[in-house]
Amino acid sequence: MPGAAAAAGQGPLEEKQEQGLKVAFIHDWLVSYRGGEKVLNALFELFPQAKLYTLFYERGSVPGPVERAQVYSSFLDRPWARKRHRMFLPLFPLAISRFSLKGYELVISSSHCAAKAAPVPQGVPHLCYIHAPLRYMWTRFDDYFGKGRASLPLRIAAKTLRPFLQRWDKKSARRVTHFVANSHYIAKQVELLYGQKASVVYPPVELERFLPLPVENSGQGGYFLCFGALAPYKRLDLAIEAFGRLGLPLWVAGSGQMEAAFRKNLPGNIRWLGQVPEDEVPALLHAAKALVFPGEEDFGLTPIEVQACGRPVIALGRGGALETITPKTGLFFAEPTAASLERAVLAFAELEKRFLPTEAKENAMRFSKENFLQGMRAQVQTCLGDAP
């Protein structure tokens, strides 16, 4: 009885949860544990019984609630295909369309590629938490398919398919009832590309892993640090070139499709760590002199994790970093060039004199899981209320 629920101060979410709301999650793929997967794990705290759909699924790759969920993968999902999943991009529209989502009362997609295109039945509210529009075909096309980034046949194929995939991406956006972006930077892209408004709820950071570290021992390692997935748009090449000339100690931690290219002919002052075990990450960040963040990111969890450890960030002054780093907790370089980064590293000495670890930790607290869950509850309420 809607009237009784309203009288008791309940909204659409509380009312439907009492009746056992049937929820489906859609995530692009589950083959590694990065920012998008951490968001998905947090969403399971809102709907622990939700079913999960994804294009590719490597069991054991994502710890936590995802590992315990009932997961349905697409016809593309084969063991040999999971590490090469981006090669199947032209087939994503077909694969995502084959999912059957009948019987659900709410669909929540976690999307930077194809998840938002899921065939949600008419009348069922669809909330999309968007990490980025189809990044391979829009803002990141040159990073993945530009000269020197891909073979000539692959570049030709990507250029040929790009108009079709862009049209499909725009069309699929119409299936979404309500967009929630991970940053104001992405919300602007949603409006520009799809002509739709997006609310903003920042992703959750596992602050409990970092905040307890003592500030008095921060930065004792004396090294600058690059940390994260080694994707083309992360621009680790800028850091390697800049620090090669500066001769200052730079440690690189992470793995990804650009690892082999980045590891070639490293200068002696750059130490390659590779993939660091999760339980060793807090100490690594805590001991760094500063994080070097040279790419233009949609949001970026690592700068917040570093600030939670009481350490500053040197970042490209574009994208989501402008929303997570303050003048007191880091500094920006203006252009995506090694020379611009060099100048910022040299200027870092002035920031270091006035930097207070406690201010960095305080800034990081804005991105708690509690704030994320509170924000998403409100967005689900809105989505359910707006549904026809």
Side-chain angles (χ1 to χ4, degrees), residues 162-175:
R162 191 182 188 189
F164 161 73
L165 288 170
Q166 286 180 333
R167 288 193 299 271
W168 169 77
D169 187 53
K170 285 188 173 186
K171 185 177 180 180
S172 71
R174 301 174 198 160
R175 298 179 176 180

Side-chain angles (χ1 to χ4, degrees), residues 51-88:
K51 303 297 190 296
L52 176 57
Y53 295 78
T54 189
L55 293 173
F56 301 89
Y57 179 42
E58 182 74 50
R59 183 169 291 279
S61 62
V62 181
V66 167
E67 181 69 14
R68 300 187 292 271
Q70 188 171 346
V71 181
Y72 303 92
S73 60
S74 74
F75 69 83
L76 296 174
D77 187 29
R78 298 290 186 272
W80 56 269
R82 291 167 190 159
K83 298 302 181 185
R84 304 175 180 88
H85 53 274
R86 293 180 185 86
M87 293 175 57
F88 297 90

Side-chain angles (χ1 to χ4, degrees), residues 251-332:
W251 291 14
V252 179
S255 62
Q257 69 262 43
M258 295 297 294
E259 182 172 351
F262 287 149
R263 291 188 68 171
K264 290 180 180 178
N265 303 317
L266 284 178
N269 60 300
I270 298 179
R271 180 179 176 185
W272 191 276
L273 302 179
Q275 187 68 41
V276 176
E278 282 292 310
D279 60 352
E280 297 178 14
V281 169
L284 178 69
L285 304 187
H286 183 249
K289 194 176 186 71
L291 176 75
V292 178
F293 199 66
E296 182 175 345
E297 290 273 4
D298 307 317
F299 178 72
L301 291 178
T302 307
I304 303 168
E305 293 174 341
V306 167
Q307 290 173 80
C309 291
R311 304 310 306 141
V313 183
I314 301 171
L316 178 66
R318 299 181 183 182
L322 294 172
E323 301 175 45
T324 62
I325 302 165
T326 75
K328 292 183 178 180
T329 67
L331 57 83
F332 297 107

Side-chain angles (χ1 to χ4, degrees), residues 1-12 14-15 18:
M1 297 177 61
Q10 291 181 315
E14 287 85 356
E15 181 185 353
E18 285 184 359

Side-chain angles (χ1 to χ4, degrees), residues 348-368:
F348 175 73
E350 288 303 313
L351 170 67
E352 200 171 20
K353 291 176 184 177
R354 56 181 169 79
F355 175 75
L356 295 176
T358 51
E359 290 182 333
K361 285 178 174 282
E362 183 178 349
N363 184 52
M365 290 177 69
R366 296 191 290 133
F367 305 95
S368 68

Side-chain angles (χ1 to χ4, degrees), residues 236-246 267 270 337-339 342:
L236 178 60
D237 57 309
L238 300 183
I240 291 173
E241 183 181 347
F243 277 83
R245 288 200 290 259
L246 291 167
I270 298 179
T337 65
E342 276 186 70

